[in-house]
Amino acid sequence: MIEQNIKIILSKMPPDIQVVAAAKSRGVDEIRQAVSAGIKVIGENYVKEALDKFEIIGREVEWHLIGHLQKNKVKKAVKIFDMIETLDCLDLAESLNAECRKIDKIMPVLIEVNSASEPQKYGLLNEEVESFLAKVDGLKNLKFMGLMTMGPFTDDREVLRDCFKKTKYLFEKVKLDRGDLMDWKYLSMGMSSSYDTAIEQGANIVRIGTAIFGPRTYKKKCSYED
Ligand SMILES: *Cc1c(COP(=O)(O)O)cnc(C)c1O
């Protein structure tokens, strides 16, 4: 089933879109099926869960952190992940930078934006992003490559579209203002129910869980299900 789902998704995907298989609560076997069907990036929400799987699967696939990162998990996270998609505050940036420096790693990061300005959500507000980037300029072990957003919890296409559009606008504005200083090129938005709308609005990373693996049989608490 997983292979079939992926084949259909990838066959309809425009070129140059990175599909991240959101694998929270999924086992090693399911991840391996996804990889053999053509998935190149696994997204995990929890460091501990990622570490358990990483120890078995290793670097035959890329690993993105797509859940909220707590400071006490940074040291482990920098060892596993190839990209942190959820950088959302200065404190965390400094701590990530320090741990990366210790192991001599340059970590690609995306800034998470709370694009619908929802009070309970993680992420910077859109209007905070540029001043944030000015503050993290000196953190040489982090490579700021773009934006990630969850978007609002709604089935309303117009609301979602509007939110993705605003995030794309911000992404382009940063590229104009500071793009010559950075390798600014990724815009991660859209999940199973919204990736088509996100791509239409300019996403080039989509994070797909349910549409690949089927419904989650147990729910773990995670940033967007809080
Ligand atoms: C779980 C998750 C997804 C994928 O959600 P689905 O609706 O299962 O496709 C995408 N992004 C993040 C941050 C997630 O936690």
Side-chain angles (χ1 to χ4, degrees):
M1 200 212 24
I2 292 174
E3 297 204 309
Q4 193 59 25
N5 289 343
I6 291 171
K7 260 189 207 136
I8 294 168
I9 290 168
L10 293 183
S11 71
K12 288 191 275 189
M13 203 52 71
D16 305 324
I17 307 278
Q18 219 176 64
V19 177
V20 175
K24 57 178 172 281
S25 89
R26 317 295 180 171
V28 165
D29 281 354
E30 290 167 289
I31 292 177
R32 288 216 162 112
Q33 283 179 54
V35 172
S36 71
I39 289 295
K40 300 197 162 43
V41 189
I42 298 297
E44 289 287 352
N45 290 65
Y46 308 96
V47 176
K48 172 76 174 66
E49 187 179 333
L51 190 59
D52 290 347
K53 299 175 197 176
F54 176 80
E55 279 172 353
I56 300 167
I57 297 170
R59 302 230 170 262
E60 65 186 86
V61 69
E62 266 186 52
W63 299 84
H64 285 196
L65 182 69
I66 62 172
H68 182 66
L69 179 57
Q70 290 168 318
K71 249 183 99 177
N72 62 356
K73 303 276 168 58
V74 167
K75 195 184 168 82
K76 285 196 171 116
V78 299
K79 289 188 184 139
I80 310 169
F81 290 106
D82 301 292
M83 180 182 278
I84 307 286
E85 293 201 16
T86 48
L87 184 67
D88 63 356
C89 69
L90 189 56
D91 229 26
L92 182 60
E94 285 170 346
S95 159
L96 268 172
N97 186 67
E99 290 300 335
C100 284
R101 194 167 50 217
K102 284 186 203 163
I103 61 169
D104 208 15
K105 179 168 179 172
I106 308 288
M107 178 67 84
V109 295
L110 305 183
I111 296 173
E112 181 172 1
V113 289
N114 179 359
S115 53
S117 306
E118 295 165 293
Q120 74 281 19
K121 283 246 175 90
Y122 293 116
L124 298 180
L125 296 175
N126 285 30
E127 56 271 27
E128 295 170 335
V129 168
E130 293 211 76
S131 62
F132 179 79
L133 278 168
K135 286 184 205 144
V136 294
D137 226 15
L139 305 180
K140 298 301 180 202
N141 289 72
L142 302 183
K143 187 173 177 186
F144 291 86
M145 301 193 76
L147 301 176
M148 177 272 208
T149 195
M150 295 292 301
F153 253 138
T154 173
D155 293 330
D156 188 329
R157 284 282 141 180
E158 288 313 310
V159 174
L160 266 172
R161 180 174 287 121
D162 188 53
C163 224
F164 291 153
K165 187 175 284 179
K166 281 185 184 143
T167 310
K168 166 73 168 170
Y169 178 85
L170 173 62
F171 174 80
E172 291 299 335
K173 182 168 188 314
V174 171
K175 189 147 93 183
L176 269 180
D177 293 348
R178 314 177 58 91
D180 52 336
L181 307 170
M182 299 184 297
D183 198 3
W184 188 257
K185 60 181 180 193
Y186 293 122
L187 181 55
S188 174
M189 9 184 237
M191 319 192 300
S192 292
S193 59
S194 59
Y195 71 86
D196 50 345
T197 305
I199 290 170
E200 167 204 297
Q201 294 305 321
N204 53 19
I205 298 181
V206 293
R207 308 173 311 266
I208 304 178
T210 316
I212 288 176
F213 297 108
R216 277 182 289 279
T217 47
Y218 70 90
K219 274 204 169 165
K220 292 188 74 164
K221 196 162 138 34
C222 69
S223 59
Y224 86 103
E225 282 163 347
D226 275 349

